[in-house]
Structure formats: C-alpha cells, structure tokens
C-alpha cells in the first residue's frame, strides 16, 4: 500500500493558504454596474423581475453613479427608457433624449472618476422594439441601422460618454461607429463591442426593466446559441473594425465561448452576467435553496476564471462591498 506524495490538499488547509494560492482574484475595479434611467420618473422604481435593481429617475441615477465611483467600481453602463418611441428610435439621437441627457448629467457629477459607458442600440427607442430600423418587409435593415448608430454614437460622445457599448449585433457596426466618431473629432471615445452576443432566453428581466415592446425575437441578428466557433469569428471582425474591448454575453451559459475569445483576444475581454442569470440566483436564494452571497461570489469568480477581465453584473455594488469585508474562511465554504 503506497500513500500519495502529491497531496493538493496541503494548499487547501487554511483560509490563509487558500488565499495565497488563489489563481483568480476579484476586485471592485473589475466590475461594471448596469443602470437604467427612465424619462420623467420622479422616484426610483423597483423592477419586479430584478430584485434590488431599479429604474432610476434622472436625479437618482446621478447619485447611483457617484456611489459606484466612491466604491471604486470599474465603470457603469447606462441604459435609457424613453417616454415616447417611434419607428426609427428618434429619442436615441436627440441631445435631450433620456440617455444623452443622463450621460451629460452623470459626467458633470463624476467627470473622469469612473468609466461611464452608454448602451448604443435602438431597441429601447423603437416602437417595434427591434435593435434597428426595419425595411419594407419588416426585417431589420442592417445598413440603414448603421447610419442610425453613427448618429447615436456622435450624440453619446458629444454628451461625454467614455465608452460606447455597441450591443445591436449589426454587421459592420464597430467600423461604422468608429468612422463616425473619428470624422466628428471623437477619436478618444472608446468602443466596447458586444462581439459574441447570443439570442438568449436570459434577457427576460432586462426587457421588463426597459419596458421592451418587442413582439418576436432577435434571431436574425443575435447569435445562435448552438454556435461556438462563430464567437471567435465575430470577435475577429470587431477587432478588425477597431473595437477597443470585446464582450461575450450572456456569461454563464457561454463560458466556453468566453474562454475561446479570451485565449486569442489582444484587447481586454468583458462578459455580461445578464438579467436572467442574476434573477435565477435571486429567486433560488429567496426560496432558501442556495446561499445568496456565496452564489453571487462564485458565479462572478467563475466568469473571471473563464477569461473575463471585466464583468458587467447587477450585483456589482454589493459584491464590491463584500470584497472589502471577506467572510471568515472565504467564500463558498
Ligand atoms: C439589447 C440589449 C439586451 C440586453 C442589453 N441590451 C438584450 C436584448 O434585449 O436582446 C440584455 C441585458 C440583460 O439581460 O441584462 N440592446
């Protein structure tokens, strides 16, 4: 009978030892908090399917971004919910549209103290709920949409956004936006490309948060969940068009895609723990079926371990607080 010499358990014996040898670490600066602002709202309003998250009023949004900056979060990602929608998403491009105004107010408060990102997509602003404008047959018209994205990009850059989150999944959107930004003199405004964004069931609660009017689905532009290799192809296209950061979304059901992208990306890689991922943890925790804090910590750590440098998560504020006060013994037992 021979006993093992190689005993990995030696390095698991105490919290201090586990801390020393941890391969992956989380810090508040890795985290980006998505925030919603609704036009004309007087008080923040809870979102039923996203416990703890709210639709902000313009004033409460500014306070939330100030708090995120004071906590040392890496950034915020802003989404606007307009009062009026139309076929071309006019509210996305006017300087007084809810999102453009919010960007200006937020930048006036925090300046360069935290990275302010803005969602660049038309779905919140169109009355049909699609991410672009439609052609006569009712299909999303790729190139007509690119022209709208160009206008939206310049409006957001003018309002002061540091990073534009291109989430529409139109072909050529990164290059089109880069051209428009550069032509307008905004060469310093960065792009975060949703490179591999899948047509996912996990976006359900987000659509409540933005009061989405979408009747069908987005399968003609968002990616097919069956496809892994295509994630790398989308990343390569976005890099060739000048993306500064690439993202994979959702995160947990797509960790294989995230690992592939992270293995070959020369630019920082982000991943989005989307509304449905967050809602599942909240729902299970509310039933007493899982330990909420441990599940949130483990899920975000897993996303980072798979290769994300940056994680967008609705739990960013709470998680940053926990990172300051680790549980004795560390997380997850
Ligand atoms: C679309 C967009 C979506 C999300 C953010 N921007 C997805 C969609 O409606 O198809 C989802 C984010 C989440 O679920 O948390 N521009």
């Amino acid at each position: 009978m021979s006993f093992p010499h190689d005993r990995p358990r030696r390095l698991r014996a105490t919290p201090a030892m586990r801390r020393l040898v941890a391969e992956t670490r989380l810090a508040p600066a890795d985290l980006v908090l998505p925030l919603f602002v609704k036009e004309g709202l007087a008080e923040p309003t809870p979102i039923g399917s996203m416990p703890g998250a709210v639709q902000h009023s313009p004033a409460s949004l500014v306070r939330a971004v100030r708090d995120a900056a004071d906590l040392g979060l890496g950034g915020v990602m802003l989404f606007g919910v307009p009062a009026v929608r139309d076929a071309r998403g006019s509210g996305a491009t006017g300087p007084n549209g809810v999102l453009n105004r919010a960007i200006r107010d937020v930048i006036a408060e925090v300046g360069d103290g935290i990275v302010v990102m803005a969602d660049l997509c038309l779905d919140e602003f169109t009355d049909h709920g699609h991410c672009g404008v439609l052609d006569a047959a009712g299909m999303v018209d790729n190139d007509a949409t690119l022209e709208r994205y160009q206008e939206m990009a310049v409006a957001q850059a003018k309002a002061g956004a540091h990073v534009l989150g291109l989430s529409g999944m139109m072909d050529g959107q990164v290059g089109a936006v880069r051209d428009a930004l550069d032509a307008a003199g905004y060469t310093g405004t960065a792009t975060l490309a949703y490179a591999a964004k899948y047509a996912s069931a996990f976006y359900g609660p987000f659509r409540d948060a933005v009061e989405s009017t979408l009747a069908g689905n987005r399968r003609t532009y968002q990616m097919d969940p069956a496809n892994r290799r295509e994630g790398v192809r989308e990343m390569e296209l976005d890099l060739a068009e000048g993306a500064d950061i690439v993202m994979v979304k959702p995160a947990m059901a797509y960790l294989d895609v995230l690992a592939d992208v992270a293995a070959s990306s020369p630019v920082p890689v982000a991943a989005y723990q989307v509304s449905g991922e967050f809602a599942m943890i909240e729902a299970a925790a509310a039933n007493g079926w899982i330990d909420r804090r441990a599940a949130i910590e483990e899920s975000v750590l897993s996303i980072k371990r798979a290769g994300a440098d940056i994680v967008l998560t609705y739990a960013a504020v709470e998680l940053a607080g926990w990172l300051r006060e680790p549980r004795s013994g560390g997380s997850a037992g």
Side-chain angles (χ1 to χ4, degrees):
M1 164 123 180
S2 92
F3 295 103
H5 289 169
D6 200 354
R7 291 179 185 266
R9 289 186 59 190
R10 287 182 199 117
L11 300 185
R12 296 177 197 147
T14 67
M17 188 68 89
R18 292 196 293 271
R19 189 173 66 231
L20 175 72
V21 302
E23 293 177 41
T24 308
R25 292 174 205 280
L26 277 175
D30 300 330
L31 307 175
V32 173
L33 175 68
L35 290 166
F36 304 99
V37 58
K38 182 172 172 181
E39 188 164 12
L41 210 57
E43 294 294 332
T45 308
I47 302 161
S49 51
M50 299 180 68
V54 299
Q55 289 179 322
H56 278 286
S57 69
S60 72
L61 177 80
V62 172
R63 291 195 294 275
V65 178
R66 162 55 58 199
D67 291 347
D70 292 347
L71 260 171
L73 294 189
V76 290
M77 174 66 81
L78 308 183
F79 294 92
V81 185
V84 182
R85 302 170 192 223
D86 61 21
R88 57 194 297 275
S90 303
T93 44
N96 289 323
V98 59
L99 183 53
N100 296 327
R101 194 184 271 269
I103 295 167
R104 277 205 306 278
D105 292 349
V106 160
I107 293 288
E109 170 72 21
V110 297
D112 293 339
I114 183 168
V115 176
V116 176
M117 309 185 181
D119 183 56
L120 200 166
C121 192
L122 289 175
D123 60 312
E124 286 96 32
F125 297 94
T126 53
D127 52 10
H128 45 73
H130 275 294
C131 292
V133 293
L134 306 183
D135 65 17
M139 272 281 280
V140 174
D141 183 332
N142 195 87
D143 296 6
T145 299
L146 294 184
E147 289 177 19
R148 294 290 293 136
Y149 287 179
Q150 289 183 316
E151 292 172 54
M152 191 173 182
V154 171
Q156 293 183 337
K158 197 169 185 178
H162 302 125
V163 177
L164 309 187
L166 281 70
S167 66
M169 289 305 284
M170 296 303 128
D171 292 337
Q173 62 183 12
V174 176
V177 160
R178 188 72 265 159
D179 282 349
L181 290 172
D182 292 352
Y186 297 108
T187 53
T189 306
T191 58
L192 181 161
Y194 287 55
K197 178 175 179 180
Y198 287 85
S200 173
F202 295 106
Y203 303 147
F206 173 92
R207 294 188 187 164
D208 295 340
V210 299
E211 302 172 20
S212 173
T213 56
L214 185 71
N217 61 66
R218 306 198 199 286
R219 292 190 198 123
T220 70
Y221 44 105
Q222 296 180 349
M223 291 169 60
D224 185 337
N227 296 350
R228 174 172 180 171
R229 189 197 287 139
E230 194 186 1
V232 173
R233 178 181 186 214
E234 286 278 4
M235 173 199 75
E236 286 171 352
L237 288 169
D238 286 356
L239 289 171
E241 293 172 28
D244 298 296
I245 302 172
V246 291
M247 182 144 83
V248 174
K249 172 183 179 178
M252 280 187 79
Y254 298 87
L255 294 180
D256 53 342
V257 178
L258 175 58
D260 289 352
V261 165
S264 62
S265 173
V267 302
V269 175
Y272 199 146
Q273 182 178 49
V274 300
S275 58
E277 300 178 60
F278 170 76
M280 285 195 300
I281 293 173
E282 291 289 355
N287 275 293
W289 296 338
I290 57 173
D291 175 335
R292 181 172 175 276
R293 173 171 172 174
I296 291 173
E297 289 178 339
E298 183 179 335
S299 63
V300 177
L301 190 69
S302 304
I303 294 165
K304 208 173 165 205
R305 187 197 64 232
D309 305 292
I310 300 164
V311 183
L312 278 72
T313 172
Y314 297 98
V317 166
E318 227 177 345
L319 189 51
W322 295 334
L323 291 168
R324 296 236 151 82
E325 301 164 35
R327 267 179 176 177
S328 57
S331 66

